[in-house]
Amino acid sequence: MQNPEIQEFGIILLFIIGGVAFVSVTFLVSYLLRPSRPNPEKLTTYECGEDAVGNVWGHFNIRFYLVALLFVLFEVEILFLFPWATVFGQKELIEGTQGQWGWFALIEVIIFVGILVLGLAYAWSKGYLDWVRPAQKNSDYVSKIPGSAYDRVNRQVYNKRESVQK
């Protein structure tokens, strides 16, 4: 006699195999049908249709990655809290354990969120959440163009916007 739960896993396995086979066949067919004629122009690095200026592997501030990792951490927290909330509220489990299930689940989530709060406090104390702003440098450059020329250009732009909006 076969176990019905095992049969359900067999169906899931078939779907996984079918998905992997579909992706593999699609990649194989595209590899066989596409033209492969590389040339120096195709092999150059570009950004939005423009030639890259400077080093292609630009350096990013590590804070971008830290903020992204903290964001993912708290998104994962939500992923774990949602199933907990659905199981926590099951009336049968609470009644079957004379209310002990509710206290266990509540203490469990307090510990889970407490660990995450400790992690956040650690990141905050290390300064990972501080975004350092560069100091503004005032230029001592003196332009040969008088300030009235800028005012005239600004008035022309403003008048052009007014005429377009009408």
Side-chain angles (χ1 to χ4, degrees), residues 51-107:
D51 290 332
V53 177
N55 188 2
V56 180
W57 296 98
H59 297 284
F60 288 98
N61 193 330
I62 191 68
R63 286 181 177 83
F64 287 113
Y65 299 110
L66 292 173
V67 169
L69 285 174
L70 287 172
F71 174 76
V72 169
L73 172 74
F74 288 101
E75 286 298 309
V76 170
E77 173 191 7
I78 297 301
L79 269 171
F80 285 126
L81 285 179
F82 181 73
W84 169 86
T86 56
V87 172
F88 174 68
Q90 287 184 357
K91 191 175 181 180
E92 301 85 24
L93 289 173
I94 295 172
E95 289 175 356
T97 59
Q98 290 81 31
Q100 290 179 353
W101 172 255
W103 286 108
F104 170 74
L106 183 63
I107 292 169

Side-chain angles (χ1 to χ4, degrees), residues 2-150:
Q2 292 183 353
N3 193 349
E5 287 94 22
I6 300 291
Q7 289 178 343
E8 296 297 324
F9 283 117
I11 293 171
I12 293 171
L13 179 65
L14 286 176
F15 272 103
I16 291 172
I17 291 171
V20 169
F22 178 75
V23 170
S24 301
V25 168
T26 304
F27 279 142
L28 179 67
V29 169
S30 68
Y31 177 76
L32 294 175
L33 294 180
R34 73 170 187 221
S36 180
R37 293 185 290 270
N39 60 39
E41 184 68 25
K42 284 185 181 180
L43 297 176
T44 60
T45 306
Y46 67 95
E47 181 177 342
C48 300
E50 298 291 326
D51 290 332
V53 177
N55 188 2
V56 180
W57 296 98
H59 297 284
F60 288 98
N61 193 330
I62 191 68
R63 286 181 177 83
F64 287 113
Y65 299 110
L66 292 173
V67 169
L69 285 174
L70 287 172
F71 174 76
V72 169
L73 172 74
F74 288 101
E75 286 298 309
V76 170
E77 173 191 7
I78 297 301
L79 269 171
F80 285 126
L81 285 179
F82 181 73
W84 169 86
T86 56
V87 172
F88 174 68
Q90 287 184 357
K91 191 175 181 180
E92 301 85 24
L93 289 173
I94 295 172
E95 289 175 356
T97 59
Q98 290 81 31
Q100 290 179 353
W101 172 255
W103 286 108
F104 170 74
L106 183 63
I107 292 169
E108 182 181 42
V109 81
I110 288 172
I111 291 171
F112 177 70
V113 172
I115 291 171
L116 290 174
V117 168
L118 284 175
L120 179 62
Y122 175 77
W124 197 343
S125 69
K126 288 292 187 179
Y128 295 146
L129 301 177
D130 296 335
W131 203 266
V132 178
R133 295 181 182 173
Q136 286 190 336
K137 297 177 185 175
N138 292 330
S139 175
D140 56 354
Y141 177 75
V142 179
S143 176
K144 297 177 183 175
I145 300 173
S148 60
Y150 292 111

